[in-house]
Amino acid sequence: MKGLVNISQVEGIDDEDDLGVEPIALSSPPPAQQFGHASNRDNDTEKRTQGLQNKVAMKLATFMDTIRQNLVAVQRFVEDLWLRQYGCAGDPDIARAYQVWPGNNVFFFHGRLICGPDPRGLLLTTVSIILSSWVFAMYSEDDLPHDSGLITAFSLILTVTVLVNLFLVSTMDPGIIPRNDGSSIEETAGTSDGTRRKRVTVNGVELKLKYCRICKFFRPPRSCHCAICDNCVEKFDHHCPWIGQCIALRNYRFYLTFIISALIFFVYVFAFSCWRIHQRMLRTGTGLLGMLKNSPETLALISFSSATILFLGGLTIFHVFLLARNQTGYENFRQRYTESQNPFDKGILSNIMEVLFKPLPPSRVDFRAEVMMPRR
């Protein structure tokens, strides 16, 4: 456009002055001053952060110290409660008898239950009974008669009966005789000729008493030192590996009821398991070999039950024979009274009444009593 003039090209005219436009200056602090402000802000932030960290650390330390004090207080309270309930508070030289017992027994519930040193046999027996009952209840109900509920319920009652007797015979004091602590001069001195032998007369029959070098006393008649439990036991019958406990004076009746109830249980399971196999063979028309594929669990139960019946049956007959003669298994094994009369035989009926219905004698050892800690 020819009529327009570029005023910036006119000589002597300053664009900014003549046009009335004042220059705008962007004010900024010197570099040194700007760096100083940033440094101050960083220092303030660092101080605030450090102060906050110190406060958090102090609060955390106070909190941890409070927790530590509370834990110490709880620990002292529990220790005092334990000592008042189970220990001997205030005297570190005193303990409970079961805690320092020299035998190999294992104690539970602070000396209230006493078991043998090897629990594997007891565990195997318990698992076998429970597993047999479970297999019978789960797999045999379908092929049983219409009143199968009553049959299963009765098997459970038998199972509980067997387990209760097993618990009693395996966790009670069988008749342990306390060891001689040296206070009895008569027991340690022996006879007048210097030999450690004694003879006593029971119902007109003279019996020899053996001296136990471990327990340091003359064992009473019918007693024996169990090498597994490391105790002298009164009226010792045997140490049962399937129960893991000595069978003797105080738990023999529960042992008898255990093996008899277990025999009844396995005969019951065997009979109705055979009934199930018979009914299934009639319904399906298969033979015994075919049942191995259709009902392997029932055939396994029959096999196990039959073997157990043979074992328990022979054991029951043997102990009924001993019961009728009032003789222990150890005496029979040692062939005692072969040359003399059994002084403890009172007749079949009296023997049964004495073994099964006579009140149990109290335990000779109070395993929860307070005793002095042995010096090492």
Side-chain angles (χ1 to χ4, degrees), residues 22-67:
E22 296 182 357
I24 300 175
L26 297 177
S27 61
S28 60
Q33 184 179 359
Q34 184 178 5
F35 178 77
H37 287 298
S39 177
N40 292 334
R41 286 195 299 269
D42 293 341
N43 291 335
D44 294 340
T45 304
E46 184 178 355
K47 289 180 180 179
R48 287 196 298 268
T49 304
Q50 187 175 2
L52 182 61
Q53 291 177 352
N54 292 335
K55 291 181 180 179
V56 172
M58 292 178 61
K59 290 183 178 180
L60 183 61
T62 305
F63 178 72
M64 295 300 296
D65 187 60
T66 304
I67 292 180

Side-chain angles (χ1 to χ4, degrees), residues 250-262:
R250 300 188 70 251
N251 63 350
Y252 183 74
R253 66 180 59 177
F254 299 108
Y255 174 76
L256 282 179
T257 54
F258 164 69
I259 61 175
I260 293 174
S261 60

Side-chain angles (χ1 to χ4, degrees), residues 128-200:
S128 300
I129 295 171
I130 295 177
L131 187 61
S132 299
S133 178
W134 179 78
V135 171
F136 179 78
M138 292 296 295
Y139 293 97
S140 299
E141 186 175 0
D142 297 336
D143 299 297
L144 292 177
H146 298 293
D147 52 352
S148 59
L150 294 177
I151 296 175
T152 304
F154 188 70
S155 70
L156 295 178
I157 293 175
L158 287 176
T159 303
V160 173
T161 304
V162 174
L163 292 177
V164 168
N165 284 282
L166 177 62
F167 174 79
L168 291 175
V169 73
S170 61
T171 58
M172 69 182 304
D173 176 16
I176 297 175
I177 305 174
R179 299 189 181 188
N180 184 16
D181 57 359
S183 59
S184 177
I185 301 177
E186 180 182 359
E187 295 290 347
T188 57
T191 56
S192 58
D193 59 356
T195 59
R196 292 186 172 180
R197 298 177 183 175
K198 274 189 177 181
R199 295 178 182 270
V200 295

Side-chain angles (χ1 to χ4, degrees), residues 261-294:
S261 60
L263 177 62
I264 296 174
F265 167 74
F266 281 105
V267 168
Y268 186 85
V269 170
F270 176 80
F272 281 102
S273 297
C274 291
W275 172 275
R276 182 199 179 196
I277 292 296
H278 177 68
Q279 293 297 319
R280 178 160 290 193
M281 289 174 63
L282 292 178
R283 188 172 62 252
T284 59
T286 57
L288 185 60
L289 294 179
M291 289 294 101
L292 290 175
K293 182 183 296 185
N294 297 332

Side-chain angles (χ1 to χ4, degrees), residues 158-358:
L158 287 176
T159 303
V160 173
T161 304
V162 174
L163 292 177
V164 168
N165 284 282
L166 177 62
F167 174 79
L168 291 175
V169 73
S170 61
T171 58
M172 69 182 304
D173 176 16
I176 297 175
I177 305 174
R179 299 189 181 188
N180 184 16
D181 57 359
S183 59
S184 177
I185 301 177
E186 180 182 359
E187 295 290 347
T188 57
T191 56
S192 58
D193 59 356
T195 59
R196 292 186 172 180
R197 298 177 183 175
K198 274 189 177 181
R199 295 178 182 270
V200 295
T201 302
V202 178
N203 295 329
V205 179
E206 188 179 71
L207 301 177
K208 298 179 181 179
L209 301 185
K210 292 185 177 181
Y211 183 82
C212 180
R213 299 182 180 274
I214 298 177
C215 299
K216 298 179 181 179
F217 58 73
F218 288 95
R219 292 196 292 261
R222 317 188 82 179
S223 302
C224 180
H225 189 94
C226 177
I228 299 176
C229 296
D230 197 21
N231 296 312
C232 276
V233 187
E234 192 173 5
K235 197 181 178 182
F236 178 81
D237 189 271
H238 69 287
H239 183 95
C240 181
W242 303 107
I243 297 177
Q245 178 70 289
C246 289
I247 309 301
L249 175 65
R250 300 188 70 251
N251 63 350
Y252 183 74
R253 66 180 59 177
F254 299 108
Y255 174 76
L256 282 179
T257 54
F258 164 69
I259 61 175
I260 293 174
S261 60
L263 177 62
I264 296 174
F265 167 74
F266 281 105
V267 168
Y268 186 85
V269 170
F270 176 80
F272 281 102
S273 297
C274 291
W275 172 275
R276 182 199 179 196
I277 292 296
H278 177 68
Q279 293 297 319
R280 178 160 290 193
M281 289 174 63
L282 292 178
R283 188 172 62 252
T284 59
T286 57
L288 185 60
L289 294 179
M291 289 294 101
L292 290 175
K293 182 183 296 185
N294 297 332
S295 302
E297 70 286 339
T298 305
L299 290 178
L301 186 59
I302 290 175
S303 301
F304 179 75
S305 299
S306 59
T308 308
I309 289 170
L310 292 176
F311 174 73
L312 291 176
L315 196 62
T316 301
I317 293 174
F318 175 67
H319 279 281
V320 168
F321 168 76
L322 296 178
L323 175 64
R325 301 181 60 182
N326 199 351
Q327 189 178 21
T328 65
Y330 184 77
E331 291 171 343
N332 183 270
F333 176 75
R334 291 290 184 177
Q335 296 183 355
R336 302 280 175 84
Y337 319 126
T338 54
E339 299 178 356
S340 62
Q341 182 183 1
N342 182 2
F344 305 101
D345 188 1
K346 303 175 183 178
I348 296 178
L349 185 59
S350 298
N351 293 338
I352 294 176
M353 294 296 295
E354 177 183 345
V355 175
L356 297 182
F357 301 102
K358 184 180 179 180

